[in-house]
Amino acid sequence: MEEKILKIKESLNDALSNVEKEADILNIKSEYIGKKSEIQQLLTSLKDMKVEDKRKYGSLINNSKKEMEELISNKLEELDSKSNISFDDSLDYDLEIGSLHPITIVAKEVTDILKRMGFTVVSGPEMESEYYNFEALNIPKDHPARDMQDTYYLDNGMLLRTQTSDNQIHAMENYGAPLRICAPGRTFRNEDLDANHENTFFQIEGMVIDKGVSIENLMYVMQSVLREVFKSEIKVRLRPGFFPFTEPSYEMDMSCLICGGKGCPTCKHSGYIELVGCGMVHPNVLKAGGIDSEEYTGFAFGIGLTRLAMMKYKINDIRVLNSGDIRYLEQFKVQ
Ligand code: DAH
């Protein structure tokens, strides 16, 4: 037994020494101390042991698991402190300081707010399979919802993800329940370009799964995010919506800040901009992620980061965001 545990710890040490990204460390965490990990199996096996073995091995296994948890959280902290990059002041740089892209600024703002609420930031692939982008999200082949999202299919049988919701399935598979993740990312749809439509835009996905999660929790998170991003109360409208992966589903619109709600081309003269799709996670989606829908409930949301940046910075033509025109883009500063 001692030897077995020693081996597990050594292998954890090895694994940790080879990774530098938060998501990789979290994968290691679920592999080594998650529900299906070896150490967890040893803990479960205690109940079938003889009393004297239980005494002998109980604290050994428990303490080892604690040690492993500590190793992992130390590694995460180490990564956090490394991210404060410092520059060598003794060198004479003659470079102009650049500025962050407006979408980068709002993405960071939203992830910072969510992180403070206990969300972990994850990321998934932009080239995705039909399974993760559609099927596992309760959108089978021939479902009309596929037409709502004009998809770029690739020659290799994959596609460019049309939504960041694919991260919901990856996260459930990787981390199980309870779960609290957010995933900012780039998404693609085969749209004709105009002032309001881009074929490449950004969303941030969020998902919370736990016992007793409710719509109130979802609304609280959405309100907190919007209030903090805009630093003031903004007018929000909640409507029933339809998404195959949530039931019930809602759409949240905010008053158009470009025209002050009076109506303009950006809000298609409605005075409102669609900003968030959200709802309670459909049991079929929990099932696809391997989570027992009798035991757990969850909510999910997808915020249009591109739209959020347009509202925050009063940008009335979406095309400038991908234009790479530095003269235009450098006017946006972190506030
Ligand atoms: N993926 C949806 C879209 O791109 C947005 C969305 C709706 C995300 C509902 C969600 C959700 O997580 O629960 O239109």
Side-chain angles (χ1 to χ4, degrees):
M1 175 68 79
E2 282 88 348
E3 212 170 292
K4 194 166 184 183
I5 293 187
L6 201 61
K7 277 226 179 85
I8 301 180
K9 284 201 265 184
E10 274 174 9
S11 146
L12 171 64
N13 255 321
D14 271 359
L16 285 176
S17 65
N18 288 326
V19 292
E20 288 303 330
K21 282 206 231 111
E22 187 181 8
D24 293 337
I25 302 174
L26 291 173
N27 279 335
I28 290 176
K29 182 174 178 186
S30 90
E31 185 183 337
Y32 281 87
I33 54 177
K35 262 198 301 205
K36 294 185 193 140
S37 61
E38 270 186 89
I39 196 89
Q40 196 54 47
Q41 280 167 12
L42 288 178
L43 271 175
T44 319
S45 70
L46 273 173
K47 67 175 186 323
D48 304 320
M49 286 185 193
K50 284 188 275 170
V51 183
E52 65 257 42
D53 283 347
K54 257 189 211 163
R55 241 183 246 136
K56 195 159 146 203
Y57 297 127
S59 60
L60 174 71
I61 303 178
N62 270 308
N63 289 341
S64 304
K65 185 172 176 208
K66 273 201 201 105
E67 265 175 56
M68 292 166 69
E69 281 166 349
E70 228 165 83
L71 272 176
I72 294 170
S73 53
N74 286 347
K75 180 81 186 182
L76 282 168
E77 272 171 30
E78 192 186 305
L79 187 77
D80 228 22
S81 61
K82 262 197 209 150
S83 62
N84 298 323
I85 303 165
S86 61
F87 289 96
D88 180 354
D89 302 333
S90 63
L91 296 175
D92 188 11
Y93 292 108
D94 189 18
L95 289 175
E96 242 178 72
I97 294 176
S99 60
L100 294 176
H101 191 282
I103 292 180
T104 311
I105 299 173
V106 293
K108 181 160 180 349
E109 271 178 1
V110 177
T111 49
D112 281 349
I113 297 164
L114 291 172
K115 271 193 204 163
R116 286 203 296 278
M117 290 194 245
F119 284 72
T120 301
V121 184
V122 299
S123 64
E126 291 176 350
M127 183 172 77
E128 190 51 285
S129 66
E130 279 196 54
Y131 176 76
Y132 285 102
N133 195 80
F134 289 127
E135 262 154 59
L137 288 163
N138 202 27
I139 317 178
K141 269 207 175 64
D142 305 324
H143 192 289
R146 288 208 187 187
D147 297 339
M148 278 158 49
Q149 305 187 354
D150 295 314
T151 310
Y152 285 114
Y153 288 94
L154 305 175
D155 289 344
N156 63 2
M158 305 283 277
L159 48 81
L160 294 182
R161 69 170 172 211
T162 58
Q163 48 187 351
T164 45
S165 304
D166 59 331
N167 287 293
Q168 294 188 19
I169 308 296
H170 289 298
M172 286 186 285
E173 283 181 354
N174 289 338
Y175 312 120
L179 182 75
R180 208 182 289 192
I181 56 100
C182 63
R186 184 157 44 176
T187 49
F188 309 85
R189 290 189 201 171
N190 193 352
E191 300 258 13
D192 291 333
L193 307 196
D194 63 32
N196 295 315
H197 295 95
E198 247 295 353
N199 54 17
T200 306
F201 53 98
F202 289 76
Q203 298 184 331
I204 181 165
E205 193 76 12
M207 182 179 224
V208 172
I209 298 177
D210 212 328
K211 293 185 180 156
V213 169
S214 70
I215 293 178
E216 275 86 9
N217 303 135
L218 165 64
M219 293 306 150
Y220 173 79
V221 171
M222 291 297 92
Q223 278 164 0
S224 308
V225 169
L226 294 181
R227 194 178 301 135
E228 285 203 47
V229 169
F230 290 97
K231 311 235 171 10
S232 63
E233 288 293 334
I234 51 160
K235 210 159 129 199
V236 174
R237 178 170 85 174
L238 190 69
R239 294 181 285 123
F242 173 75
F243 299 102
F245 32 93
T246 40
E247 178 56 39
S249 305
Y250 302 96
E251 288 188 59
M252 211 177 260
D253 307 331
M254 66 174 278
S255 175
C256 177
L257 296 184
I258 290 175
C259 59
K262 286 197 205 77
C264 66
T266 305
C267 59
K268 294 189 213 126
H269 303 284
S270 71
Y272 281 93
I273 290 276
E274 273 174 44
L275 197 63
V276 182
C278 57
M280 301 304 290
V281 181
H282 195 289
N284 287 355
V285 175
L286 291 172
K287 209 190 281 166
I291 288 171
D292 182 356
S293 61
E294 301 279 309
E295 197 180 354
Y296 288 100
T297 49
F299 66 75
F301 56 87
I303 306 177
L305 278 182
T306 301
R307 295 229 172 114
L308 198 60
M310 287 173 76
M311 286 297 112
K312 173 145 182 160
Y313 293 107
K314 306 203 173 22
I315 299 170
N316 63 6
D317 189 334
I318 194 171
R319 289 168 293 195
V320 303
L321 290 165
N322 288 351
S323 70
D325 185 342
I326 289 174
R327 286 164 310 174
Y328 189 84
L329 294 171
E330 70 185 358
Q331 62 184 306
F332 305 107
K333 295 278 181 289
V334 183
Q335 289 173 344

